[in-house]
Amino acid sequence: MKHPRLQGIAWPIVVFTFGFISPIAGQVERVPFDSPAWNLDEAEVVEHLGRTSLKGTTLLDEVVFEDGVIEVDIAVTGARSYPGILFRRQSAENLERFYIRPHRAGFYSDALQYTPVINGIAGWQLYSGPGFTASSEIPSEQWVHLRLEVQGRRARIFIDDRPEPALTIDDLQHGRSRGAIGLLGPQDGSAYFSNFGLDVNAELAFGPLPDYEKRPGMLTGWELSNAFGFSRIDVERTPQQQGLDDPGWRKVSSDRSGLVDIARFLERPGRESSWAWARTVI
């Protein structure tokens, strides 16, 4: 799955510059898509299912979001697509992303997914299971309400008027960050957005974090080499066997699950497929 590259924007230190932001906790303020607050370079405002809607990908310019509530209605055809919400977007390469898979709804456990985008890599294959993916019914050709609540390192998604969250995220991978808000949608008309709202003063209560038990014997200390273009190396040979006496080893640590997301430490050298070595001592 490729992550579309969006145009970068510069943000002021003052986090909100538009008057539509509500000063009242618990009050969601609607932001119509014909507002100049939206960047519509990769989107268009259309009519769909009786509403003024948005098709495509857009950013809410000059808004820096940290904690609060983001709401939007979505209508899908059921075709393969990955529409969703971008939040705390620091750049096109680093952001948090929630999306749905309409074509897998009702059948698979990953119809809903949260994934970080780190240094331009959407790590959806790595971030799967409890806290990252969930099953859900997403009916086609009707408006479905999404509510994203964000506080600190945690977030949760509610669908329609269901009282329990459809997906709870206990460890946002960018930590306590802040950034822009966006909607990521296809251009082919398989998904539309309407009725967008925002509350940056919402009083949210997530409760205590679940206990995480460190598994005995987990390998948490590693070394990573530099990243190399795939055509430059022989993956069947060690660095020394192909004349790389110093491939740039650096020490890294896994997260609490034992995962080392290489995208955190290495940037891809160009658009070519790339490769890095990892080593540890047992």
Side-chain angles (χ1 to χ4, degrees), residues 48 74-83 100-105 107 138-142 186 188-192:
H48 185 70
I74 189 168
V76 298
T77 65
R80 180 185 294 272
S81 62
Y82 307 93
I100 67 174
R101 294 181 176 92
H103 52 290
R104 295 175 73 86
F107 300 100
I138 306 290
S140 300
E141 303 296 351
Q142 70 181 61
D188 62 3
S190 58
Y192 297 83

Side-chain angles (χ1 to χ4, degrees), residues 1-153:
M1 183 191 310
K2 293 184 178 179
H3 175 71
R5 298 181 63 85
L6 307 179
Q7 296 298 314
I9 55 174
W11 306 307
I13 294 175
V14 178
V15 296
F16 295 107
T17 59
F18 286 96
F20 55 73
I21 302 303
S22 170
I24 304 172
Q27 180 176 328
V28 175
E29 289 293 318
R30 302 298 164 192
V31 188
F33 290 122
D34 57 5
S35 165
W38 293 102
N39 181 331
L40 299 179
D41 290 347
E42 299 182 38
E44 59 179 318
V45 179
V46 298
E47 292 295 317
H48 185 70
L49 294 179
R51 297 186 184 180
T52 300
S53 310
L54 181 127
K55 179 177 72 171
T57 295
T58 183
L59 291 174
L60 192 56
D61 277 355
E62 297 188 41
V63 170
V64 179
F65 175 82
E66 183 172 357
D67 291 348
V69 174
I70 301 169
E71 293 190 1
V72 70
D73 294 342
I74 189 168
V76 298
T77 65
R80 180 185 294 272
S81 62
Y82 307 93
I85 301 170
L86 311 176
F87 60 105
R88 293 180 171 180
R89 179 187 184 273
Q90 302 160 61
S91 67
E93 286 74 34
N94 290 283
L95 59 121
E96 308 283 21
R97 177 182 172 189
F98 163 77
Y99 63 97
I100 67 174
R101 294 181 176 92
H103 52 290
R104 295 175 73 86
F107 300 100
Y108 298 96
S109 61
D110 61 356
L112 310 178
Q113 180 148 23
Y114 154 71
T115 185
V117 178
I118 301 173
N119 287 327
I121 305 296
W124 59 275
Q125 298 106 321
L126 302 179
Y127 300 100
S128 183
F132 301 105
T133 56
S135 60
S136 183
E137 296 285 344
I138 306 290
S140 300
E141 303 296 351
Q142 70 181 61
W143 291 110
V144 176
H145 187 65
L146 303 178
R147 176 182 170 93
L148 169 64
E149 298 181 351
V150 182
Q151 184 180 61
R153 297 186 63 108

Side-chain angles (χ1 to χ4, degrees), residues 202-247:
E203 296 178 355
L204 302 172
F206 277 73
L209 278 167
D211 293 329
Y212 288 92
E213 182 178 352
K214 185 176 180 180
R215 291 175 241 175
M218 182 184 293
L219 299 175
T220 58
W222 291 83
E223 288 183 278
L224 287 178
S225 73
N226 292 332
F228 298 92
F230 197 81
S231 62
R232 290 186 55 200
I233 62 169
D234 181 349
V235 299
E236 300 296 330
R237 302 165 67 199
T238 68
Q240 291 74 21
Q241 288 173 337
Q242 48 196 306
L244 292 171
D245 294 328
D246 182 14

